[in-house]
Amino acid sequence: MKSPFDCLILTFCLFVLPGHFAALGQTNWTFTLPESIEAPINSTVEIPCTFTAPDVPGKYDLTWYKYGSITHEEVYNSDNQSRVHPDYIHRTFHVGNGTNCSLTITGVRETAWYFPAIRNDSFNISSEQKPVKINVTGCTNRSTCSSWSFTFPRTITALDSSCVEIPCTLTHPANDMDFNLVWFLRMPSGDVKVYDNKTRHNVDRKYVRQTSLLRMRRSSCALKINNIKKDGQYYPGINQIINAYNLDGKVCTVTVSEFPQKLEITGTENLKESIAVNISCAINHTCGSSPPELQWNIKNDNANVRNVNRTRGTWTVISEISYLPSSKDNNSPLECKATFQNGVTSVQTETLLVEASADPNVSVITISVLAVIACLVLIVSLVFIYRRTKCFHASAIGEVGESPELTYTTLNRREVAEDYDTLKFDNRGNAATGNENDGPYYENIQL
Ligand SMILES: *[C@@H]1O[C@H](CO)[C@@H](O)[C@H](O)[C@H]1NC(C)=O
Ligand SMILES: *[C@@H]1O[C@H](CO)[C@@H](O)[C@H](O)[C@H]1NC(C)=O
Ligand SMILES: *[C@@H]1O[C@H](CO)[C@@H](O)[C@H](O)[C@H]1NC(C)=O
Ligand SMILES: *[C@@H]1O[C@H](CO)[C@@H](O)[C@H](O)[C@H]1NC(C)=O
Ligand SMILES: *[C@@H]1O[C@H](CO)[C@@H](O)[C@H](O)[C@H]1NC(C)=O
Ligand SMILES: *[C@@H]1O[C@H](CO)[C@@H](O)[C@H](O)[C@H]1NC(C)=O
Ligand SMILES: *[C@@H]1O[C@H](CO)[C@@H](O)[C@H](O)[C@H]1NC(C)=O
Ligand SMILES: *[C@@H]1O[C@H](CO)[C@@H](O)[C@H](O)[C@H]1NC(C)=O
Ligand SMILES: *[C@@H]1O[C@H](CO)[C@@H](O)[C@H](O)[C@H]1NC(C)=O
Ligand SMILES: *[C@@H]1O[C@H](CO)[C@@H](O)[C@H](O)[C@H]1NC(C)=O
Ligand SMILES: *[C@@H]1O[C@H](CO)[C@@H](O)[C@H](O)[C@H]1NC(C)=O
Ligand SMILES: *[C@@H]1O[C@H](CO)[C@@H](O)[C@H](O)[C@H]1NC(C)=O
């Protein structure tokens, strides 16, 4: 049958051109998957999948991932089921063999993208670039998923051990009034229920006392979490299927910060003495129903305190006071202190700069005082001149005969003269009795 020539060719082919032959027969790695699949919520869906490979691996591991913007979560792992995300455990099955990589998911509840990867020790090939979208449709027999929506902020930064209020509104099908509101927290080990409007029994023990619904209205799903300690991703819903995460992949990421927001003092620019101004102190927070308390270090009888809803879970509490600048306050510290629910305080200090102004009242007083002084000086001078003139008269009379009208000034002068004489006398006396030295007294002191 086989000619030696054939054999030669075969040998040539086998040993000389193996690479060439292999290249001819080789197909690249490819995955064949649909672009998207529509599936009713809570139904079982099969994602058809086949692949081609250079040579079909004898033994390989098949992994299916749920596409994520940061990391892809494993939803099926033929080698190790414990690596599968808890939300998918016991819900995914590989239905094919060989090059059939189809996956079945039961109870689908989220619209998401999925892709397979095939791996053995020497390769790991995935279809990451072309994932399959599963469109989840329909919610109940009475309505479709699009009749449900939950609106809430995507991120909120809250102060450690303080409170956070996640604003939230919901729309529901007009004919579906009999629902129960719940909130979930994403957890690597499977999401937990942190709030249930009907019962506390199936709520995670750690959250029972911490969570409450803010407004008891059908259209409001705002959640208050007290004493918040850890970062977390929260989402509202009415059950495991109809919820913000399943329907739209939406969560509210609460970031817990160790430090309060910055306090802001305004209205202290260009202070002028005696011109009243309104100064205010403001701080952002996340606890609309119990805002931090603001205190000033200057006396104020009627601070106007407002708590402003800034949307997206942020509130601003503002304390406004009327302040009459005084030059006494110049360079003194102005302090505003915020005390949070958890006892944490934050202080903002500013140095007051008060411009002393030329006050019209002050100058009137000054001028009046100066005028009065000037008048007094004038009067005194006049009296003095008058008296001097009279004095001359008196001395002239005194030389002739003793006059009872001797002025005080004259009398004084005489007394001084007498004293002087006495002193002189005493000095002499001292010199005579205690000292032979006839020199002046001051020399005696020097000795
Ligand atoms: C296989 O991939 C290479 C490059 O990655 C490409 O040049 C070649 O044409 C592909 N072959 C087939 C059969 O698709
Ligand atoms: C899934 O939804 C996308 C848009 O969200 C749409 O383009 C696509 O056609 C849908 N696929 C199916 C199978 O309905
Ligand atoms: C989802 O389907 C299962 C049975 O397949 C059923 O027991 C369960 O109640 C359904 N859940 C919802 C929320 O419809
Ligand atoms: C992985 O698969 C390739 C292709 O089938 C094969 O050549 C290789 O031996 C396999 N490696 C192991 C460790 O099984
Ligand atoms: C399976 O995966 C888990 C989690 O990644 C790991 O702890 C465990 O060691 C793995 N088991 C095996 C048999 O590889
Ligand atoms: C894969 O295998 C399953 C079960 O044997 C079969 O139903 C399905 O049609 C196969 N898919 C493809 C794409 O071959
Ligand atoms: C795949 O499974 C089918 C039955 O589901 C079987 O007939 C076929 O031989 C299997 N193929 C391989 C390559 O194991
Ligand atoms: C295989 O590839 C996928 C997607 O490219 C990647 O996420 C995964 O970590 C890889 N696995 C291993 C074991 O390298
Ligand atoms: C929902 O609709 C399906 C058919 O679409 C029906 O079989 C089922 O009984 C309905 N369930 C309820 C609770 O109405
Ligand atoms: C929560 O329950 C109260 C009474 O228990 C009810 O009035 C309110 O409408 C419910 N709110 C929501 C959003 O379910
Ligand atoms: C509070 O937050 C708003 C934005 O929500 C910002 O414009 C404002 O400056 C902040 N105020 C303070 C006092 O930090
Ligand atoms: C705060 O504002 C948001 C958005 O405007 C609104 O949804 C929320 O109900 C408001 N909260 C209160 C307590 O008024």
Side-chain angles (χ1 to χ4, degrees), residues 36-38 133 135:
S36 67
I37 301 173
E38 197 161 278
K133 183 184 182 188
N135 287 1

Side-chain angles (χ1 to χ4, degrees), residues 134-148:
I134 296 196
N135 287 1
V136 173
T137 63
C139 275
T140 61
N141 278 16
R142 285 173 290 174
S143 63
T144 60
C145 287
S146 57
S147 327
W148 292 93

Side-chain angles (χ1 to χ4, degrees), residues 23-291:
L24 281 176
Q26 194 166 10
T27 48
N28 288 341
W29 278 98
T30 56
F31 288 93
T32 307
L33 296 159
E35 246 177 52
S36 67
I37 301 173
E38 197 161 278
I41 198 151
N42 208 21
S43 67
T44 296
V45 66
E46 185 186 314
I47 309 175
C49 167
T50 53
F51 67 92
T52 61
D55 47 345
V56 176
K59 189 186 176 299
Y60 64 89
D61 291 324
L62 173 67
T63 311
W64 275 83
Y65 295 91
K66 186 177 94 178
Y67 195 93
S69 53
I70 299 159
T71 53
H72 309 308
E73 280 165 4
E74 291 189 19
V75 298
Y76 175 80
N77 189 317
S78 63
D79 178 46
N80 186 347
Q81 276 292 317
S82 55
R83 293 176 58 88
V84 170
H85 191 274
D87 286 354
Y88 284 83
I89 211 143
H90 306 313
R91 286 180 47 220
T92 51
F93 309 94
H94 178 204
V95 290
N97 57 12
T99 59
N100 181 335
C101 47
S102 302
L103 182 77
T104 292
I105 307 174
T106 62
V108 287
R109 43 193 194 225
E110 59 178 326
T111 290
W113 285 261
Y114 300 88
F115 67 90
I118 283 167
R119 171 172 45 85
N120 76 1
D121 290 348
S122 53
F123 60 78
N124 175 19
I125 315 292
S126 84
S127 173
E128 184 178 345
Q129 303 308 318
K130 281 168 71 182
V132 186
K133 183 184 182 188
I134 296 196
N135 287 1
V136 173
T137 63
C139 275
T140 61
N141 278 16
R142 285 173 290 174
S143 63
T144 60
C145 287
S146 57
S147 327
W148 292 93
S149 80
F150 302 88
T151 310
F152 54 91
R154 286 300 103 76
T155 58
I156 296 185
T157 300
L159 177 64
D160 185 18
S161 308
S162 172
C163 111
V164 63
E165 292 176 3
I166 308 175
C168 173
T169 53
L170 71 89
T171 57
H172 56 85
N175 56 355
D176 198 345
M177 293 296 289
D178 187 28
F179 60 85
N180 180 36
L181 187 86
V182 289
W183 274 82
F184 298 97
L185 169 63
R186 299 274 298 147
M187 281 293 209
S189 52
D191 298 1
V192 298
K193 203 185 266 184
V194 296
Y195 178 78
D196 189 316
N197 198 34
K198 265 205 186 111
T199 172
R200 293 173 149 228
H201 297 311
N202 54 9
V203 173
D204 189 289
R205 216 166 25 87
K206 291 198 287 290
Y207 292 89
V208 167
R209 285 166 199 280
Q210 247 176 297
T211 53
S212 55
L213 203 62
L214 268 179
R215 279 167 294 282
M216 286 298 182
R217 256 189 279 120
R218 262 300 181 221
S219 60
S220 173
C221 44
L223 181 75
K224 175 174 179 174
I225 310 171
N226 270 318
N227 194 22
I228 190 135
K229 296 264 192 203
K230 275 194 217 150
D231 297 355
Q233 298 183 310
Y234 298 86
Y235 61 91
I238 63 162
N239 58 35
Q240 306 273 357
I241 288 163
I242 302 170
N243 60 57
Y245 181 69
N246 266 355
L247 301 179
D248 308 306
K250 291 196 302 192
V251 294
C252 175
T253 301
V254 177
T255 308
V256 173
S257 162
E258 227 179 293
F259 309 102
Q261 302 275 311
K262 213 175 130 354
L263 276 161
E264 225 172 64
I265 297 177
T266 48
T268 51
E269 314 81 20
N270 307 321
L271 294 179
K272 291 203 176 64
E273 171 131 47
S274 305
I275 300 178
V277 288
N278 284 341
I279 53 180
S280 50
C281 175
I283 191 166
N284 282 351
H285 64 98
T286 57
C287 196
S289 56
S290 26

Side-chain angles (χ1 to χ4, degrees), residues 27 29 91 134 152 208 294 299 303 306 311 349 390 443:
T27 48
W29 278 98
R91 286 180 47 220
I134 296 196
F152 54 91
V208 167
L294 296 180
K299 205 176 149 287
R306 284 167 291 153
T311 73
T349 311
K390 258 200 153 178
E443 275 183 8

